[in-house]
Each structure stands twice: as C-alpha cells, then as structure tokens.
C-alpha cells in the first residue's frame, strides 16, 4: 500500500511540475507571461533635472525632451531638458515662455514640439505653444476652443493633433478635438463612446487612435477603445488583463502597444509592463529587474530603445532616474520591427518570439527534462516495489495458500 501511494505521489509531482514549467492554467493566454525581452537598464539615477511627475516627454531630431511637471513638494515647472542618449542631459531652458504647469500634453508635428494645456493649482490652461528647439517658443493661441484642462491625452493622427478627455477644472470630460496647426481647432465629438475620464493614455497604432484606462466618475478603469477618425469608437475590451489604472504610461514600441506603471484601483503605485497587438489580448512583460513602482512617468521611444523617465514613486518621493529597455533583434543585430506610431503592416495576435525567449524556453525545457528524469526514476523504483508486493500477495493465493 505504501509503495502504491508513493507511485501515485510521484506521478502527481511529475505532472504538476510539468504543468508549472509550461505555465498551464485555465486561461490559455497566461503562458505568454513567460515572454521576457530583457532586463531594464538604468541609464542614470540622477538626470540633473528636478525630481518630478506628470511631465511631458517627446522626441525631436533624435533627442528626447522633457517638459514641465510637478514635484512632491508641489513645485511646478516650465523648464525643458534634452538628451541624445537618456543618460546625459542638458538644460535647454530654465523657464520656457509658457507658464509653469503640471499635466500638459506635448506632441511633435512638422518638426515642432507643441505644448498644450495643463494646470497650476486651481488654474487650468488651454493655451498652445510651439518650438523648433525647445528653447524658443511661439504662442499659437491664448485659449483654444476646447475647455481648459489637465490630465488629458494627445496623439498625432493623419497629420493632425488630437486631444481627448481630461479634467476640465470641475468635471471629467470625454470630448475629442483636432487641429492641423494648433491654432484652429475642430470638435470631433462632444462625447465619445468611452466614459468621461482623466489620467488615461492614448497612442496611434494600426492607423487608429487608442484610448486606454484612466479614472472615470466611478473608479479606475481598464477598458481599451480604438477609432479611425476620433468620432466613432470601438471597444476592444471592457477589461484588459492589466487591471484598472490611471496616470500610467503608454507607447508604441516594437510594433506593439505598451502600458506600464501608474496607480491601481486602490491608489497604489505599480510598475508592471504589458503589451498587445490587438487591444483585447494582453501579455505581461516579466523582467528580473527594473524601475520602482511609480505614477506619472514620461515614456518615449528613442532610436531602438524604450525610455522611462521620472515619475512619482511614493507620496513623498519623485524620481529623476532614466531607464531603458531594448528588444533584441535577429542574429544580424537588427530589431525585430521598426517602431512606428502608425505601422503599415496589420498587427497579429501572435506574440513575437525573439532570441531571448527561445533561450528562456530552452532552459525551461532542459529543467523539465531533468525533473522528469529524476521523477521517473523514483516512479520506476516505486513501481518495481509495488509489483513485488503484488506478486508476493497474489501468487500464493493462486496456488491455494491462505484459503
């Protein structure tokens, strides 16, 4: 009896270990959590600019720029800094022509940086500024047609600036506006299909605008919407795997949409990273090391690298660090795909299996083989003992003994 129990135990352990190694579970997509590109690399722990969050980040002429933001002490900024590599930073200006503010939006169109909106205390802005170098700024309008706001999102789509949602001083909104020059604005819709919200994120992917997460009038949400024109919206999922969150970062990189960090439904800062190619199926990036939990970081793609800059780690600590991640390419050293805000190829729901993942999978299979060998050896020993016990008990009975 003890040998029989031993054999069943070994069998159970074998298949349990096999299932854990391969990541089997009730959700068939969860095995994609094994997909890991690389560890994060800290380019600098002190970039030189003051610690901050809710700042803007853009890339112009192969340089990354950060603009504005707020510190944990409540100090708001209107300085501009730039870097060619994310490690060494230069102050472009200690005080831009636009006033100090947090939560502005910044985009690049026609080789110019556009800065829009934001707030300082209870003052909300809807002015629009542009600059070719981050130092000299031109005010395009004192007040755009859209209501003054912060915590909104913006993208470049079809050579126009789109702004969406945000907090307009007294309430959250879900309107959408567009402009080809930052001066003249058109209301695309007064109420999009997604709920009024703030602290959400947006990108352009597969020639569509995506809106993700944020804080609506009830709670932090994790829905994902897309639109080809900003007027008609399609819900890609009512609940993405990354859970309700706000003040997170969002970017298109390696032909995928990425969501990272922010605050969760209980208002705790987080640092998880997720990606998707269809908005409905999301995969978590598993990395051995990286940046701390934070909300309101700036995230950009500089060359072939994804950069995370600053953010609020705790209610009493903001960061001035910069981290990067690189997606390994093929054996020639080329990236798997060229990052683009409007890719020409159709996305696929199948994950990209790169070299690091293949090696990771090989290591996992080698572990399975070793575990299987050890477990099967124990099973064989237990089975041999069990057969001996059966023979000793059964064979005498067949000869009439113990009758």
């Amino acid at each position: 009896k003890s040998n029989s129990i031993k054999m069943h135990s070994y069998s159970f352990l074998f298949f349990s270990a096999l299932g854990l190694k391969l990541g089997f579970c009730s959700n068939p997509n969860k095995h994609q959590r094994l997909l890991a590109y690389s560890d994060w690399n800290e380019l600098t722990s002190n970039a030189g600019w003051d610690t901050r969050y809710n700042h803007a980040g853009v890339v112009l002429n192969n340089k990354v720029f950060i603009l504005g933001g707020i510190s944990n002490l409540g100090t708001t900024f209107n300085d501009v800094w730039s870097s060619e590599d994310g490690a060494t930073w230069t102050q472009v200006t200690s005080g831009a022509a636009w006033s100090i503010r947090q939560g502005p939006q910044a985009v690049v169109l026609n080789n110019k940086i556009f800065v829009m909106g934001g707030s300082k205390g209870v003052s909300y802005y809807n002015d629009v500024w542009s600059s070719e170098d981050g130092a000299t700024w031109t005010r395009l309008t004192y007040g755009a047609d859209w209501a003054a706001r912060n915590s909104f999102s913006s993208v470049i789509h079809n050579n126009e600036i789109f702004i969406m949602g945000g907090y307009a001083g007294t309430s959250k909104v879900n309107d959408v506006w567009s402009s080809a020059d930052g001066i003249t604005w058109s209301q695309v819709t007064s109420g999009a299909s997604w709920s009024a919200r703030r602290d959400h994120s947006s990108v352009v992917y597969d020639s569509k605008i995506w809106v993700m997460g944020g804080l609506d009038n009830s709670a932090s949400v994790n829905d994902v919407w897309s639109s080809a024109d900003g007027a008609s919206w399609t819900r890609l999922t009512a609940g993405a795997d990354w859970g309700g969150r706000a003040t997170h970062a969002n970017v298109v990189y390696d032909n995928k949409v990425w969501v990272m960090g922010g605050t969760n439904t209980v208002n705790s800062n987080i640092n998880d990273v997720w990606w998707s190619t269809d908005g409905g199926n999301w995969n978590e990036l598993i990395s051995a090391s990286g940046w701390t939990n934070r909300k309101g970081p700036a995230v950009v793609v500089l060359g072939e690298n994804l950069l995370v800059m600053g953010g609020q780690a705790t209610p009493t600590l903001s960061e001035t660090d910069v981290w990067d991640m690189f997606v390994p390419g093929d054996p020639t050293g080329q990236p798997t795909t060229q990052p683009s805000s409007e890719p020409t190829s159709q996305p696929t729901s199948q994950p990209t299996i790169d070299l690091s993942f293949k090696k990771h999978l090989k290591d996992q299979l080698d572990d399975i083989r070793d575990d299987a060998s050890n477990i099967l050896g124990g099973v064989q020993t237990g089975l041999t003992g069990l057969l001996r016990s059966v023979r000793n008990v059964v064979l005498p009975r067949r000869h009439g003994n113990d009758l």
Side-chain angles (χ1 to χ4, degrees):
K1 181 177 180 180
S2 62
N3 285 334
S4 177
I5 293 173
K6 190 174 185 180
M7 180 183 70
H8 287 297
S9 298
Y10 277 126
S11 299
F12 174 79
L13 289 172
F14 168 69
F15 289 108
S16 296
L18 183 64
L20 289 173
K21 286 290 182 181
L22 291 178
F24 294 156
C25 64
S26 59
N27 185 341
N29 289 325
K30 290 301 181 183
H31 74 279
Q32 294 172 2
R33 288 170 59 90
L34 290 174
L35 292 177
Y37 287 93
S38 66
D39 288 345
W40 289 88
N41 174 47
E42 186 176 38
L43 298 177
T44 178
S45 61
N46 186 352
W49 31 268
D50 290 316
T51 60
R52 68 189 66 196
Y53 65 104
N54 288 352
H55 48 296
V58 295
V59 173
L60 174 66
N61 297 330
N62 299 316
K63 290 183 180 180
V64 56
F65 291 77
I66 68 156
L67 314 96
I70 185 171
S71 73
N72 281 86
L73 298 177
T75 302
T76 47
F77 305 105
N78 64 339
D79 54 348
V80 179
W81 294 72
S82 71
S83 174
E84 295 181 351
D85 57 10
T88 303
W89 290 79
T90 300
Q91 187 179 65
V92 180
T93 177
S94 60
W98 38 271
S99 60
I100 56 178
R101 65 191 64 193
Q102 67 152 320
Q105 285 293 300
V107 294
V108 171
L109 177 65
N110 298 328
N111 294 316
K112 293 180 181 179
I113 303 172
F114 289 74
V115 168
M116 306 164 287
S119 67
K120 178 186 181 296
V122 295
S123 298
Y124 293 81
Y125 307 122
N126 58 346
D127 51 348
V128 181
W129 299 74
S130 71
S131 173
E132 295 180 352
D133 58 10
T136 303
W137 292 85
T138 299
R139 180 165 47 201
L140 303 179
T141 177
Y142 284 90
D145 293 326
W146 39 271
R149 68 191 66 192
N150 69 1
S151 304
F152 57 113
S153 66
S154 65
V155 296
I156 299 297
H157 180 51
N158 293 335
N159 294 317
E160 288 190 301
I161 305 169
F162 282 74
I163 71 148
M164 291 151 285
Y167 183 70
T170 57
S171 62
K172 303 176 185 72
V173 293
N174 61 341
D175 53 349
V176 179
W177 294 76
S178 68
S179 174
D181 57 13
I183 301 172
T184 303
W185 291 82
S186 299
Q187 187 178 68
V188 180
T189 178
S190 60
S193 301
W194 36 271
S195 58
R197 64 189 62 193
R198 62 178 296 172
D199 297 318
H200 51 291
S201 62
S202 298
V203 296
V204 171
Y205 181 74
D206 190 28
S207 299
K208 296 182 180 68
I209 304 171
W210 288 27
V211 168
M212 290 158 281
L215 181 66
D216 68 8
N217 289 323
S218 58
S220 295
V221 294
N222 56 334
D223 51 351
V224 180
W225 298 76
S226 73
S227 172
D229 58 10
S232 301
W233 292 84
T234 299
R235 187 171 62 187
L236 303 179
T237 181
D241 292 330
W242 33 265
R245 71 183 61 201
T247 61
H248 50 288
N250 197 202
V251 72
V252 172
Y253 176 58
D254 190 45
N255 202 26
K256 302 172 181 67
V257 177
W258 298 77
V259 170
M260 59 195 74
T263 56
N264 59 20
T265 54
V266 294
N267 205 32
S268 295
N269 292 351
I270 48 183
N271 68 340
D272 53 343
V273 179
W274 297 77
W275 60 265
S276 175
T277 56
D278 61 13
N281 299 297
W282 290 85
N283 311 276
E284 185 176 10
L285 177 77
I286 303 301
S287 182
S289 62
W291 36 278
T292 56
N293 296 348
R294 65 189 63 187
K295 71 175 184 178
V299 175
V300 300
V301 174
L302 181 64
E304 297 175 353
N305 292 60
L306 187 156
L307 271 60
V308 174
M309 303 169 289
Q312 186 190 58
T314 70
T316 59
L317 175 65
S318 293
E319 300 286 5
T320 184
D321 54 353
V322 179
W323 295 76
D324 81 336
M325 179 185 73
F326 170 66
V327 172
D330 61 26
T332 67
Q334 297 299 313
T336 54
T337 59
Q338 291 297 322
S340 170
S341 62
E342 297 210 39
T344 57
S345 60
Q346 292 296 319
T348 171
S349 60
Q350 297 299 319
T352 299
I353 300 179
D354 53 50
L355 296 178
S356 63
F357 174 62
K358 290 179 180 178
K359 181 180 183 302
H360 178 74
L361 182 59
K362 180 180 180 299
D363 293 340
Q364 295 289 312
L365 293 175
D366 287 343
D367 288 345
I368 292 173
R369 181 194 60 197
D370 294 340
D371 291 347
S373 177
N374 294 332
I375 293 174
L376 287 175
V379 171
Q380 182 178 9
T381 300
L383 184 60
T384 299
L386 176 64
L387 291 176
R388 287 176 180 170
S389 298
V390 171
R391 182 184 61 189
N392 293 336
V393 173
V394 174
L395 291 182
R397 290 179 182 274
R398 292 181 60 187
H399 289 83
N401 295 336
D402 300 326
L403 296 176

